[in-house]
Amino acid sequence: MTTSPPVSRRSELLALGAASITVVLWASAFVSIRSAGEAYSPGALALGRLLAGAVTLGAFLLIRREGLPPKAAWPGIAISGLLWFGLYMVVLNWGEQKVDAGTAALVVNVGPLVMALLAGWLLKEGLPKRLLAGMAVSFLGAAVVGLSMSGEGNASLLGVLLCLLAAVSYAGGVVAQKPSLKHASPLQVTTFGCLIGAVACLPFSGVLLSELGDAPVSGTLNMVYLGIFPTALAFTTWAYALARTTAGKMGATTYAVPAIVVLMSWLALDEVPGWLTLLGGAICLAGVGVSRSKGRSRVVATAQEPGPVVDPADSAKSR
């Protein structure tokens, strides 16, 4: 009997575990950005975060002696570095100064829908029915969260537009990153993407230096935390998981972020959620479950040679 199904199952579990780490740390980033944003302007915060991340990732890269990525990986690394590590972080920081953490997470989660469409078109991943159904459920939950916060008067049109720009740049960065993972390791792709993003944000270096002197220790610690954990660690675990599954399915997983952000905002920022917000968060999580579920499996096999159980959604994907 073939041993490939257990290996594939183990790889899928590892990818799910890595994605879970990413989701939790990215959720914490929305809260930390709100805190650090009181002391640092958007560009300075993005640069400080990326520098902390690049130093951390660079140290691990030297320890592992992985060196430079192959030439074929650089186009995807460069595009994701500019769009995701650079533009995304600046506009998200700016947007979070205009809206609360939960609303920012909600609007940014338009990104997975854009990501799935781009991946289906550019990466030929297709659009499995369960993935689309799960995204529809999660998006409904995200809309409920947004509706629950719409009467609070703490979200501006500019803030929502900035978060939408962050969503599009995030989706484009992920789709660009996916092909590069065929040629380079997750650590290489993340390290040099982060470095490119930091270089793109160097025009904010003067502002960062001037704000460092006036910023409270808590604000600076939040900035460093953002660089080490939601950037260095979470972007690496994301790349690890992305290399082992589709961009569309990874995007659907991030729909757990609004629910976690609402909970963290409640605990850390005293942004108390109402029952409608909690309901929306629960719907988001249910949608993630649908998008990653197997459903009723079809057995594709012959009497002479037993084969693995094949998920109809997975069979629609193009590797």
Side-chain angles (χ1 to χ4, degrees):
M1 183 178 283
T2 179
T3 58
S4 59
V7 172
S8 176
R9 201 172 303 119
R10 179 175 179 273
S11 179
E12 185 174 338
L13 288 173
L14 288 173
L16 181 59
S20 299
I21 292 172
T22 299
V23 165
V24 172
L25 290 177
W26 281 357
S28 74
F30 283 93
V31 179
S32 287
I33 288 170
R34 289 275 287 173
S35 180
E38 296 178 359
Y40 291 97
S41 58
L45 178 57
L47 177 59
R49 173 181 178 176
L50 289 167
L51 288 175
V55 169
T56 304
L57 288 163
F60 278 106
L61 194 74
L62 289 174
I63 292 171
R64 291 180 59 86
R65 299 181 180 179
E66 292 197 15
L68 293 171
K71 185 177 180 180
W74 277 104
I77 292 174
I79 294 173
S80 66
L82 292 172
L83 287 181
W84 196 9
F85 289 87
L87 178 62
Y88 167 78
M89 291 192 182
V90 174
V91 296
L92 178 62
N93 293 344
W94 191 3
E96 279 219 50
Q97 291 184 352
K98 306 295 182 180
V99 300
D100 59 81
T103 302
L106 155 70
V107 179
V108 169
N109 266 280
V110 172
L113 293 173
V114 179
M115 191 188 307
L117 293 173
L118 288 176
W121 173 40
L122 297 175
L123 303 181
K124 311 301 181 186
E125 290 184 358
L127 294 170
K129 291 182 179 179
R130 278 190 179 275
L131 176 62
L132 292 177
M135 283 190 162
V137 173
S138 288
F139 192 75
L140 174 62
V144 171
V145 174
L147 178 63
S148 71
M149 296 178 172
S150 62
E152 297 178 7
N154 54 1
S156 70
L157 176 60
L158 176 59
V160 171
L161 291 176
L162 288 168
C163 289
L164 281 174
L165 178 57
V168 174
S169 59
Y170 148 58
V174 171
V175 173
Q177 186 188 64
K178 174 70 174 175
S180 66
L181 290 165
K182 296 178 181 178
H183 309 286
S185 73
L187 181 58
Q188 288 175 317
V189 170
T190 306
T191 300
F192 289 97
C194 184
L195 187 59
I196 288 171
V199 171
C201 290
L202 281 179
F204 300 108
S205 56
V207 180
L208 175 61
L209 289 174
S210 66
E211 292 178 350
L212 269 172
D214 299 326
V217 174
S218 61
T220 302
L221 288 177
N222 266 295
M223 182 173 65
V224 173
Y225 168 82
L226 285 166
I228 296 175
F229 293 99
T231 303
L233 178 56
F235 274 72
T236 302
T237 52
W238 168 275
Y240 176 89
L242 182 62
R244 289 159 176 78
T245 186
T246 66
K249 187 171 283 190
M250 281 297 291
T253 303
T254 64
Y255 271 119
V257 170
I260 300 173
V261 168
V262 168
L263 177 60
M264 289 183 173
S265 298
W266 186 5
L267 298 175
L269 301 179
D270 200 28
E271 294 177 354
V272 181
W275 68 268
L276 195 58
T277 304
L278 295 175
L279 175 62
I283 295 174
C284 285
L285 294 176
V288 173
V290 171
S291 69
R292 300 198 68 95
S293 65
K294 296 291 185 183
R296 287 182 173 271
S297 302
R298 281 183 205 154
V299 178
V300 181
T302 64
Q304 294 81 14
E305 183 179 337
V309 175
V310 177
D311 178 10
D314 287 341
S315 66
K317 298 183 298 186
S318 174
R319 284 278 181 186

